Amino acid sequence: MTSAIQVKPISGALGAEIDGVDLASDLSNEAFDQVHQAFLDHHVIFFRGQHGLTPEKHKAFGRHFGTLNVHPYVKGMEGHPEILEIIKEPEEKTNFGGGWHTDMSFLEEPALGSILHAIEVPPFGGDTLWANQHLAYEALSDGLKETLEGLTAIHSAKGEYGPKGQSALNRQSMEATAAPDAPEFEHPVVRTHPETGRKGLYVNPAFTLRFKGWSRRESRPLLNYLFEHSRQEPFTCRFRWEAGSVAFWDNRSTWHFALNDYHGHRRHMRRVTVNGDRPF
Ligand SMILES: O=C(O)CCC(=O)C(=O)O
Ligand SMILES: [Fe+2]
């Protein structure tokens, strides 16, 4: 049987739009395999016009890939604890996800992927950017690659969700709990993707605090170098949302950044987060 699914890359680095899939319908095994393969090949995939994706269907699609996460610090949607309502009201100044990060690297088993559904979008702005962390790793010198291979990093939510955090804490439209005592977890700096075997950088500006066995001050210069390196334009793509658009990204191989450039307008998204495994 031939399939109507089409995969159209949106940049040379990562990201592809998928045509011919209704995420609210029961996907055939063949369609599901194609979506999964596109996800692995392109690291973030986009679907347009998914107006029928109810909270139940959104969760059902996520469950194809793993169990669903209930965020430890941000309150979920009424009746759907696994769904985060990411809302910015017109008068709010800060936004959720407004700095480069990968979701939930502060857990022992960080998120595999996140599935974001646009409910209401501003007339301009509010785009999201992604950065391919395989490309970031591959662009490093052999010497630095070798050094980083031997390093472990400490991740925690205590900064972002602590007193000076940039996250959802100071926002009215999303209820977040302060977590100044959030636990620390160790992850390798160079992570091997569990499904493709490809290596990538796995540190990020939001949740990586320092290298294991190094002080914070010692870690800062090298971490800052990696943070600047990893966000370079040739590693990125940028997506323009419409109501009904869906993005499904791989948190094991990408960073993302939600632009906050639509003051005076409302933006409302819903996210389902798929649990992942322990990085190695
Ligand atoms: O609102 C967005 O575009 C992305 C926000 C974010 O970081 C997330 O949903 O994980
Ligand atoms: Fe995020």
Side-chain angles (χ1 to χ4, degrees):
M1 197 183 97
T2 52
S3 148
I5 294 182
Q6 283 178 37
V7 180
K8 299 184 297 187
I10 69 160
S11 90
L14 78 170
E17 281 202 35
I18 312 284
D19 280 350
V21 178
D22 175 7
L23 297 178
S25 69
D26 292 328
L27 293 185
S28 67
N29 286 342
E30 190 201 6
F32 174 71
D33 286 348
Q34 286 178 292
V35 168
H36 185 210
Q37 194 57 50
F39 173 74
L40 294 179
D41 291 344
H42 299 280
H43 318 291
V44 52
I45 52 177
F46 307 102
F47 305 85
R48 298 275 184 195
Q50 304 293 324
H51 300 286
L53 196 67
T54 59
E56 284 80 10
K57 307 260 190 195
H58 192 169
K59 291 195 288 186
F61 178 65
R63 284 198 186 98
H64 277 291
F65 298 91
T67 56
L68 304 186
N69 178 265
V70 175
H71 200 289
Y73 311 122
V74 184
K75 194 171 176 292
M77 183 179 176
E78 200 64 49
H80 299 280
E82 310 92 336
I83 296 184
L84 282 188
E85 296 234 65
I86 297 169
I87 299 172
K88 184 174 176 288
E89 296 293 354
E91 72 282 1
E92 282 184 308
K93 295 227 157 63
T94 59
N95 69 330
F96 182 82
W100 284 108
H101 66 284
T102 183
D103 292 333
M104 327 290 290
S105 80
F106 53 79
L107 298 180
E108 187 167 23
E109 297 186 334
L112 176 158
S114 302
I115 305 162
L116 194 63
H117 184 210
I119 306 302
E120 186 182 341
V121 298
F124 59 84
D127 294 1
T128 307
L129 287 79
W130 283 265
N132 181 333
Q133 296 307 297
H134 294 307
L135 293 182
Y137 170 75
E138 288 157 9
L140 297 171
S141 66
D142 289 344
L144 184 51
K145 278 185 192 147
E146 213 174 295
T147 299
L148 296 176
E149 291 265 3
L151 294 181
T152 298
I154 310 296
H155 296 242
S156 175
K158 64 168 69 157
E160 272 303 286
Y161 289 88
K164 290 195 211 131
Q166 305 289 309
S167 233
L169 286 179
N170 47 353
R171 302 172 44 65
Q172 319 135 32
S173 55
M174 293 174 67
E175 283 179 54
T177 321
D181 302 317
E184 297 186 344
F185 291 106
E186 298 177 2
H187 300 308
V189 171
V190 179
R191 180 175 188 179
T192 301
H193 194 287
E195 294 187 82
T196 64
R198 195 169 167 192
K199 286 179 183 174
L201 281 176
Y202 194 69
V203 288
N204 71 86
F207 306 124
T208 308
L209 303 182
R210 63 185 186 278
F211 297 112
K212 184 183 179 183
W214 296 30
S215 71
R216 238 181 135 130
R217 263 188 87 193
E218 289 167 340
S219 305
R220 223 359 79 193
L222 181 50
L223 280 177
N224 283 344
Y225 173 77
L226 294 174
F227 296 160
E228 286 305 313
H229 169 80
S230 292
R231 47 168 282 180
Q232 290 178 87
E233 289 81 357
F235 307 147
T236 68
C237 72
R238 174 172 176 156
F239 184 65
R240 171 87 199 119
W241 295 94
E242 296 164 350
S245 300
V246 168
F248 176 23
W249 64 87
D250 194 330
N251 281 305
R252 303 165 296 186
S253 56
T254 64
W255 285 1
H256 57 281
F257 182 111
L259 272 167
N260 183 6
D261 58 351
Y262 52 96
H263 191 67
H265 298 284
R266 189 172 194 271
R267 183 173 180 273
H268 177 191
M269 320 289 274
R270 289 192 181 133
R271 184 179 106 189
V272 162
T273 313
V274 181
N275 288 319
D277 53 8
R278 198 166 179 172
F280 57 86

